[in-house]
Amino acid sequence: MLVMMQRNATPQDIQAVCDAIQVLGFNPLPMPGALRTAIGVAGDDGQVDTSHFEGMAGVASVLYDSKPYKQVSRDWQPEKSLVSIGHGVVFGGTEVPVVAGPCSVEGEDEIVHIARLVKAAGAVALRGGAYKPRTSPYAFQGLGEEGLRQLALARSETGLPIITEAMDERQADLVAKYADCIQLGARNMMNFSLLKHLGRLGVPVLLKRGMSATITEWLLAAEYIMSEGNRRIILCERGIRSYDTATRNVYDLSAIPVVQRLSHLPIIGDPSHGVGIRDAVPPLARATVAVGADGVIVEVHQQPDKAWSDGAQSLHPPQFEEMVRSLLPIAEAVGRSIMGAGTAVV
Ligand code: PEP
Ligand code: MN
């Protein structure tokens, strides 16, 4: 339930409504907006009598929210969230950040080198995995904390903020010491204890869509993080499972505008995992910007054929450079711009 206050409601009116919500045994969540404050009633099971609030001073209306997710919903916060990961990189505004890097961190020289290359081509953040969720336990599992240290070095060499995955609570604590944003991967989207932990850590989270998650399940995963007090969430569409073996996944571009109607959270697209085929990544990156995504993330490797993971979908650096260049007019056509465009050597 949501109590919408009048534009001229006083701080005392707002406090009185919060107190009344508390007396009923629920948690009030005041959300000051540009024009007026909305007060969410967390934990409301639909049984609260609206007339309780309708007559109170400063109350404009009381709304019932039929959606299972609350705080991530546009009903609760009509204006879009801006999520900063530091170093001037903000998701959700008119500027569209491009994030790039190898699937796995493979060594100090390698990560610093690729960070320089992607930055020169227009990337504003570096992503690489130190803890890798591999389908086989015998596949390369990532360099662990050494990989985190190498990512931090790449950040100090280039100024690019770093995004990297954590697969459990212990890793998350460690990753938070090094990274600017923690990736919660597709395989963990329904790891509810990890979601809550990330909510308490308060570090920005890149929340990937689960392999077969519905949009509602995905937004509920975001709600888990937000319900613990962390509002810095960036959603990432990365393709969903289908029966078709011709592509790695079905890259669900339709999710991007649909989620933007349902939620105020920024949403970016990952065509690399979405399609899994290198040459199909640039056209899908263009489509990602065209449908209005708040960012694009792709895998790039100096020598994709030698990559320790996901080589088949990793772009060669010149391909990435060409891709970023091609995004500029598309962003402009949809009233956006590519972040950093004009400053990078594109
Ligand atoms: C990755 O980003 O390398 C990755 C494993 O992604 P996802 O969780 O989307 O499969
Ligand atoms: Mn990968």
Side-chain angles (χ1 to χ4, degrees), residues 102-104 127 132 183 208 248 270 272-273 299 309-311 313-314:
C103 182
S104 300
R127 202 221 56 140
K132 294 304 304 176
Q183 175 172 317
K208 289 198 150 196
R248 180 171 179 172
D270 171 356
S272 302
H273 294 86
E299 289 184 336
S309 57
D310 285 351
Q313 67 194 30
S314 299

Side-chain angles (χ1 to χ4, degrees), residues 227-238:
S227 68
E228 294 290 332
N230 185 357
R231 304 185 67 78
R232 297 197 284 168
I233 305 165
I234 303 153
L235 300 167
C236 178
E237 165 59 42
R238 48 77 72 201

Side-chain angles (χ1 to χ4, degrees), residues 113-114 117-118 121 300-304 315-323:
H113 184 57
I114 196 72
L117 285 176
V118 297
V300 185
H301 194 281
Q302 295 95 314
Q303 289 179 288
L315 298 175
H316 293 278
Q319 244 180 326
F320 174 66
E321 196 181 310
E322 173 62 32
M323 183 200 92

Side-chain angles (χ1 to χ4, degrees), residues 43-295:
D44 164 29
D45 58 2
Q47 301 302 308
V48 180
D49 181 4
T50 54
S51 62
H52 204 89
F53 300 101
E54 272 158 359
M56 291 184 74
V59 172
S61 57
V62 182
L63 307 175
Y64 265 116
D65 185 357
S66 57
K67 300 192 183 74
Y69 43 84
K70 307 287 176 197
Q71 298 186 55
V72 302
S73 153
R74 279 268 189 193
D75 297 340
W76 283 54
Q77 183 188 308
E79 60 284 349
K80 193 128 184 199
S81 284
L82 296 177
V83 178
S84 167
I85 62 164
H87 299 258
V89 178
V90 178
F91 293 83
T94 51
E95 292 190 317
V96 179
V98 176
V99 181
C103 182
S104 300
V105 179
E106 298 177 2
E108 193 173 289
D109 293 348
E110 287 77 4
I111 193 68
V112 171
H113 184 57
I114 196 72
R116 289 208 175 100
L117 285 176
V118 297
K119 183 182 182 188
V124 292
L126 175 69
R127 202 221 56 140
Y131 295 99
K132 294 304 304 176
R134 304 305 299 280
T135 305
S136 164
Y138 306 113
F140 173 60
Q141 303 285 307
L143 294 178
E145 187 168 6
E146 173 57 20
L148 297 177
R149 200 192 57 72
Q150 294 177 6
L151 279 167
L153 176 71
R155 173 181 50 207
S156 66
E157 292 289 319
T158 60
L160 295 178
I162 53 181
I163 304 175
T164 192
E165 179 160 358
M167 296 188 293
D168 61 36
E169 286 97 312
R170 196 183 47 81
Q171 284 174 11
D173 292 342
L174 195 58
V175 168
K177 293 199 177 109
Y178 290 89
D180 302 285
C181 177
I182 300 184
Q183 175 172 317
L184 193 292
R187 290 156 191 79
N188 263 318
M189 192 212 81
M190 280 198 172
N191 182 339
F192 300 117
S193 58
L194 181 55
L195 290 164
K196 284 192 202 171
H197 190 77
L198 293 178
R200 290 190 290 267
L201 266 181
V203 178
V205 178
L206 181 71
L207 176 61
K208 289 198 150 196
R209 182 178 185 179
M211 301 218 240
S212 44
T214 64
I215 287 173
T216 300
E217 288 165 340
W218 187 16
L219 292 176
L220 281 167
E223 186 80 19
Y224 261 92
I225 299 172
M226 208 174 268
S227 68
E228 294 290 332
N230 185 357
R231 304 185 67 78
R232 297 197 284 168
I233 305 165
I234 303 153
L235 300 167
C236 178
E237 165 59 42
R238 48 77 72 201
I240 46 176
R241 274 258 163 98
S242 92
Y243 47 82
D244 196 338
T245 53
T247 55
R248 180 171 179 172
N249 290 299
V250 172
Y251 186 44
D252 186 8
L253 280 165
S254 64
I256 292 168
V258 170
V259 165
Q260 284 172 333
R261 280 171 54 88
L262 297 171
S263 173
H264 51 84
L265 292 174
I267 174 168
I268 72 170
D270 171 356
S272 302
H273 294 86
V275 65
I277 301 164
R278 180 180 309 130
D279 290 348
V281 171
L284 287 167
R286 290 190 279 276
T288 306
V289 174
V291 296
D294 300 303

